[in-house]
Amino acid sequence: MSINVLMPALSPTMEEGKLAKWLKKAGDRVKSGDVLAEIETDKATMEVEAVDEGVIAQILVPEGTENVKVNTPIAVIAAEGEDASAAPVQKQAGAAPAAAKSTAAPAAPVAAAPPDAEIPAGTKMMTMTVREALRDAMAEEMRRDGDVFVMGEEVAEYQGAYKVTQGLLQEFGAKRVIDTPITEHGFAGIAVGAGMAGLKPIVEFMTFNFAMQAIDQIVNSAAKTLYMSGGQMGCPIVFRGPNGAAARVGAQHSQDFTSWYSNIPGLKVVAPYSAADAKGLLKSAIRDPNPIIFLENEIMYGQSFEVPEIEDYLVPIGKAKTVRPGKDVSIITWSIGVRYAMNAAVELEKEGIDVEIIDLRTIRPMDLEAILTSVKKTGRCVTIEEGYPQSGVGAEIAAQVMTGAFDYLDAPVVRVTGKDVPMPYAANLEKLALPSIPEVVAAVKSVLYR
Amino acid sequence: MPATRAAPAVKAARKPAAEATPNLPVTPPAVFSREEELESYRMMLLIRRFEEKSGQMYGMGLIGGFCHLYIGQEAIVTGVQMASKDGDAVITGYRDHGHMLALGMDAKGVLAELTGRRGGLSKGKGGSMHMFSREQHFYGGNGIVGAQVSLGTGLAFANRYRGNDNVSLTYFGDGAANQGQVYESFNMAELWKLPVVYIIENNRYAMGTAVTRASAQTDFSRRGISFNIPGEQVDGMDVRAVKAAADKAIAWCRAGNGPYILEMQTYRYRGHSMSDPAKYRTREEVQKVRDESDPIEMVRSRILDKKFATEDDLKKIDGDVRNIVNEAAEFATNDPEPDASELYTDILI
């Protein structure tokens, strides 16, 4: 009985990877624990070990192959006594994990956005991932200003838990790229103190779920001191890291904290969607003299977008962007919410519904002018966020729209949010707990009374 | 009042010195010159009179909210400040008035902040617990117990990053010493050899809880042992002992050896805050400390014994101090409240 070796999923969000290197070849005898191959994910290069014993009958995916989907058979092992050369490629068995994987939202199209008014016509563009854009933003600002440094868990020697700080240690050294112990409360406080003393720290939280340990220093020390000191003692600091749900990591690692931070005067809260905005906004955040909460999304890290090849590409904080102009309904969202909106827009277009999508990009200060201008035009508004409904950002937008555009509204504002439950682990339940494209489609139709 | 003290009440619960200090011997008190004795006397008196006035004004309703007085603990900030140099950063908790005065911050501005007036150091927007000074490198004035320990470690981080020889003088109490972030900070401070002197002002009560009811290890000088941070216990009622210990600790930090812990054994005469009835200790206990180890009376006795000054000279200092405090009180009483337009300023830069 021959056994298929499948392309493994090596992280919660991995959907495909590169088969970097085979360490065994056809005809080699392997036993459980032997390293078969090296797989390069977007985060790391990992070794794949054999689980079964036998002889490698066939290598199905040659080394150097990119974008090998998880669960694709990559080799065949013939069991003891079997004719290795004759072992057939088996029909893929044990497909449950593959099915679970496929429940992840479809990959975003590579920045199929309309011409961007912020980018001069004729600008040369390059394709890069959100991850690379964030890294480049930090590297550029660190080159520009010696007071900028980055600290956090695994940011230096490990090259970043999500590889966002890849290469920074090599370029800037251990003085400016600092691995911390696992002590969020303590190192957030140290960074705030360093910020008060005039340095410009970038604090990476491995996820914002862990920043709950540090939220006292963020809110009570970083956000409030300028006010409490009568304007004397500011704190130029960026707290950044992935926020919200990744995939199948359970309740304690999946919370969206956007509304928590958006509630606090003295903070600015930024949550980009595209790689270009991630880069331009992070550079602006590092230069900003105020404490900034910079919310990233793990699922977006590996997504590619067109980024302008402009030296010092800055995107202003506090400015929303119309990512899809339309006339029927305004969808107000940000971060990964833009992806739900873009995909829903494609569905809705088929039914003759033309939505306008506003990417807030900054949650605090909120670009109310952009929201109200759009809603006054369409008369209808849907918000999308992965966070909880009660006291969520959508609730704030609804209140602002009611106050600022009441006479223009043709329907109540409808919110699409994460469900009011701790994030479940089971794939089907997790899918239900998050917003979905059908929910967005239904919400848009509901405000159109269709 | 005797010129020299035998076993002051503050020391009663203390372990023998040899056991109390894991790495280093207890530093003998400094020998003060005439100028040093008079300087410390004047500063401690200023803090005490200022705090007495604050208490009085609180009682009159001129100061609101929380108001934590430093009476009894004056020798600590006075002695440490005498050992520091310009450029060293200072940060403390909410019992902060004395620190600001010792740093030379304007008494009028401090008291006007307590009364919430526009001439206050934070324009009336901070209050008793929240004042700062870029010029004096004073980073507050922090209301969250223990938060200043991580922040102060960050000030040391900044000094090390910049490669200067300034140190961070980070004050906190015996209560704050039990917070988790203190130990996270100790770990990183020693790991990265940050120049921070942790000054634990052990006044024996965290609000109403005696140290023995809250702390498994009541010898706070030993709290850094598992991080290899040296520490020592200091008689925090004797400004000379404070100065000598601070000299040693600061030199240790300046030389790049990493952090140092000083446990200052002290006592606060007043309640935790103005609204504290202080039912957790007896009047006799307080009176005993006042009688036997008052930091100001000790200096005063030494000055007179050594004939560094006459009673009349000291009376003149008393008068000068009272004038400063009275002028501050007058300013803090008559200065207008902040303009309503200040409500929305200083939120972001």
Side-chain angles (χ1 to χ4, degrees):
Chain A
M1 182 75 183
S2 63
I3 299 149
N4 281 352
V5 179
L6 304 180
M7 180 72 170
L10 299 168
S11 79
T13 50
M14 176 175 167
E15 289 170 17
E16 59 183 37
K18 176 182 176 183
L19 211 162
K21 191 176 176 190
W22 278 108
L23 300 171
K24 300 281 180 189
K25 58 183 190 302
D28 284 358
R29 174 164 296 278
V30 294
K31 60 179 192 304
S32 139
D34 283 355
V35 178
L36 296 177
E38 286 178 2
I39 306 282
E40 210 174 291
T41 72
D42 53 0
K43 288 184 200 166
T45 301
M46 313 271 287
E47 291 177 339
V48 180
E49 292 181 1
V51 179
D52 305 290
E53 299 204 356
V55 175
I56 295 191
Q58 201 182 344
I59 301 278
L60 301 172
V61 177
E63 66 180 31
T65 308
E66 307 251 12
N67 311 112
V68 182
K69 298 270 183 258
V70 167
N71 279 327
T72 306
I74 56 175
V76 183
I77 294 178
E80 211 61 42
E82 205 174 359
D83 179 0
S85 61
V89 176
Q90 270 201 317
K91 184 82 184 143
Q92 183 178 315
K101 271 291 149 207
S102 67
T103 60
V110 171
D116 195 328
E118 285 169 5
I119 300 167
T123 300
K124 216 174 146 210
M125 304 294 276
M126 65 186 295
T127 302
M128 68 166 69
T129 62
V130 171
R131 169 183 286 113
E132 291 161 342
L134 293 167
R135 192 263 324 274
D136 286 359
M138 284 188 281
E140 285 179 22
E141 293 308 298
M142 288 176 80
R143 280 175 211 132
R144 183 175 171 270
D145 185 344
D147 282 345
V148 178
F149 68 95
V150 59
M151 75 190 309
E153 293 157 7
E154 310 290 8
V155 298
E157 298 200 359
Y158 194 91
Q159 304 288 302
Y162 296 103
K163 287 277 174 284
V164 177
T165 53
Q166 194 157 32
L168 296 184
L169 173 68
Q170 285 65 26
E171 180 172 354
F172 300 102
K175 182 193 167 191
R176 298 179 68 194
V177 185
I178 301 154
D179 278 328
T180 64
I182 305 170
T183 48
E184 284 83 6
H185 196 183
F187 73 69
I190 287 174
V192 173
M196 286 174 179
L199 297 182
K200 293 162 187 164
I202 304 169
V203 175
E204 175 174 307
F205 290 116
M206 199 180 289
T207 113
F208 265 93
N209 293 279
F210 305 158
M212 257 210 282
Q213 296 265 1
I215 203 165
D216 172 68
Q217 289 290 7
I218 297 170
V219 174
N220 271 319
S221 300
K224 294 180 184 172
T225 299
L226 183 70
Y227 195 83
M228 295 193 302
S229 65
Q232 284 183 74
M233 194 69 73
C235 184
I237 190 167
V238 177
F239 299 100
R240 52 153 291 271
N243 170 60
R248 309 288 312 282
V249 291
Q252 290 181 337
H253 289 70
S254 300
Q255 192 169 337
D256 178 349
F257 290 90
T258 314
S259 69
W260 286 40
Y261 293 107
S262 119
N263 193 239
I264 304 298
L267 295 178
K268 292 185 181 181
V269 182
V270 179
Y273 164 67
S274 72
D277 284 347
K279 183 175 181 188
L281 281 165
L282 184 52
K283 282 169 65 75
S284 295
I286 294 166
R287 291 187 197 185
D288 198 285
N290 298 290
I292 312 274
I293 304 293
F294 196 91
L295 302 169
E296 299 157 13
N297 188 292
E298 190 189 330
I299 289 168
M300 296 306 296
Y301 278 153
Q303 303 293 321
S304 293
F305 293 84
E306 296 293 306
V307 176
E309 285 191 59
I310 296 174
E311 204 181 319
D312 245 2
Y313 179 64
L314 293 168
V315 172
I317 291 170
K319 288 290 288 177
K321 177 175 167 182
T322 305
V323 291
R324 185 188 194 280
K327 61 178 179 15
D328 294 331
V329 176
S330 302
I331 298 181
I332 315 296
T333 187
W334 60 94
S335 185
I336 196 167
V338 175
R339 190 162 84 164
Y340 293 110
M342 300 280 266
N343 287 318
V346 174
E347 297 298 312
L348 289 160
E349 198 172 354
K350 291 175 194 162
E351 300 186 42
I353 298 168
D354 182 21
V355 296
E356 176 152 297
I357 301 171
I358 306 292
D359 177 0
L360 284 183
R361 303 193 291 187
T362 302
I363 315 305
R364 170 186 272 272
M366 194 178 277
D367 190 349
L368 290 179
E369 195 189 331
I371 296 171
L372 296 177
T373 302
S374 176
V375 173
K376 283 177 182 175
K377 183 174 82 174
T378 62
R380 297 161 208 276
C381 178
V382 168
T383 67
I384 310 172
E385 67 191 300
E386 287 195 343
Y388 296 131
Q390 179 158 336
S391 312
V393 179
E396 172 65 18
I397 294 169
Q400 293 286 0
V401 167
M402 184 178 71
T403 309
F406 187 73
D407 291 338
Y408 297 83
L409 282 176
D410 294 320
V413 176
V414 170
R415 293 173 292 161
V416 177
T417 67
K419 307 307 179 291
D420 206 12
V421 297
M423 185 64 77
Y425 169 70
N428 64 328
L429 296 182
E430 183 182 67
K431 196 178 169 196
L432 288 171
L434 288 167
S436 67
I437 295 160
E439 283 174 5
V440 176
V441 169
V444 168
K445 286 185 179 174
S446 79
V447 298
L448 287 162
Y449 302 106
R450 281 172 65 166
Chain B
M1 174 57 53
T4 53
R5 302 167 306 129
V10 192
K11 284 182 172 175
R14 186 171 164 181
K15 289 182 183 144
E19 192 197 327
T21 54
N23 301 320
L24 296 160
V26 166
T27 310
V31 177
F32 270 14
S33 66
R34 175 180 180 273
E35 286 66 34
E36 286 171 319
E37 294 280 27
L38 288 169
E39 181 195 341
S40 64
Y41 176 74
R42 186 186 169 282
M43 181 51 69
M44 290 195 286
L45 199 64
L46 173 64
I47 295 170
R48 178 155 306 178
R49 295 287 173 262
F50 181 95
E51 294 291 63
E52 287 166 352
K53 179 62 78 178
S54 300
Q56 185 188 19
M57 289 172 73
Y58 191 94
M60 293 161 70
L62 286 162
I63 296 170
F66 296 124
C67 185
H68 311 87
L69 303 181
Y70 200 59
I71 297 174
Q73 303 180 211
E74 298 93 340
I76 297 170
V77 77
T78 302
V80 173
Q81 210 44 46
M82 288 170 80
S84 75
K85 74 169 175 62
D86 186 39
D88 291 341
V90 177
I91 188 165
T92 186
Y94 45 76
R95 200 176 304 285
D96 58 353
H97 313 158
H99 298 71
M100 292 184 279
L101 295 173
L103 278 165
M105 289 163 70
D106 178 26
K108 282 184 188 168
V110 179
L111 202 49
E113 190 60 38
L114 266 59
T115 55
R117 306 306 170 95
R118 66 180 54 173
L121 290 178
S122 296
K123 301 189 209 163
K125 293 160 73 169
S128 162
M129 300 183 283
H130 306 297
M131 281 171 264
F132 306 81
S133 169
R134 282 263 177 229
E135 295 72 35
Q136 309 291 344
H137 310 285
F138 180 66
Y139 293 84
N142 290 274
I144 304 298
V145 176
Q148 77 272 25
V149 180
S150 298
L151 296 170
T153 308
L155 299 173
F157 178 95
N159 287 331
R160 182 144 169 87
Y161 189 91
R162 292 184 166 129
N164 61 38
D165 73 342
N166 296 330
V167 304
S168 165
L169 303 166
T170 297
Y171 294 82
F172 52 108
D174 48 281
N178 292 327
Q179 285 275 26
Q181 63 180 312
V182 169
Y183 298 93
E184 299 185 17
S185 301
F186 281 4
N187 182 43
M188 287 179 271
E190 179 64 28
L191 186 67
W192 298 334
K193 299 286 179 201
L194 302 181
V196 49
V197 184
Y198 295 113
I199 302 153
I200 303 175
E201 299 192 56
N202 177 5
N203 64 20
R204 298 166 63 187
Y205 293 93
M207 201 167 147
T209 305
V211 288
T212 49
R213 293 204 300 124
S215 295
Q217 170 57 279
T218 56
D219 179 347
F220 292 93
S221 72
R222 298 168 68 88
R223 288 293 185 96
I225 286 178
S226 51
F227 308 97
N228 299 322
I229 303 176
E232 61 184 281
Q233 289 186 313
V234 182
D235 177 359
M237 305 303 268
D238 181 350
V239 68
R240 301 167 308 167
V242 172
K243 162 77 161 56
D247 274 336
K248 183 168 150 191
I250 290 170
W252 172 272
C253 293
R254 257 198 243 298
N257 296 310
Y260 200 102
I261 294 171
L262 295 177
E263 177 194 344
M264 300 292 183
Q265 298 188 316
T266 185
Y267 198 80
R268 75 172 142 72
Y269 296 177
R270 297 291 185 94
H272 162 72
S273 68
M274 288 303 295
S275 50
D276 173 14
K279 294 266 168 57
Y280 44 83
R281 60 185 188 187
T282 61
R283 271 182 193 286
E284 290 70 33
E285 180 185 303
V286 181
Q287 198 54 48
K288 190 168 158 59
V289 179
R290 295 192 87 129
D291 289 346
E292 294 179 5
S293 46
D294 184 77
I296 297 174
E297 282 305 322
M298 283 197 285
V299 181
R300 186 183 157 79
S301 300
R302 281 201 306 271
I303 289 171
L304 293 173
D305 282 358
K306 294 179 187 169
K307 305 202 186 315
F308 282 162
T310 63
E311 287 274 8
D312 281 349
D313 294 334
L314 294 183
K315 270 196 188 128
K316 183 170 180 314
I317 294 175
D318 292 6
D320 290 346
V321 163
R322 280 191 194 281
N323 281 341
I324 293 170
V325 170
N326 288 336
E327 276 175 28
E330 192 174 315
F331 176 73
T333 306
N334 298 322
D335 192 41
E337 290 185 313
D339 193 86
S341 66
E342 286 287 350
L343 181 63
Y344 286 108
T345 61
D346 306 321
I347 296 164
L348 294 169
I349 295 170

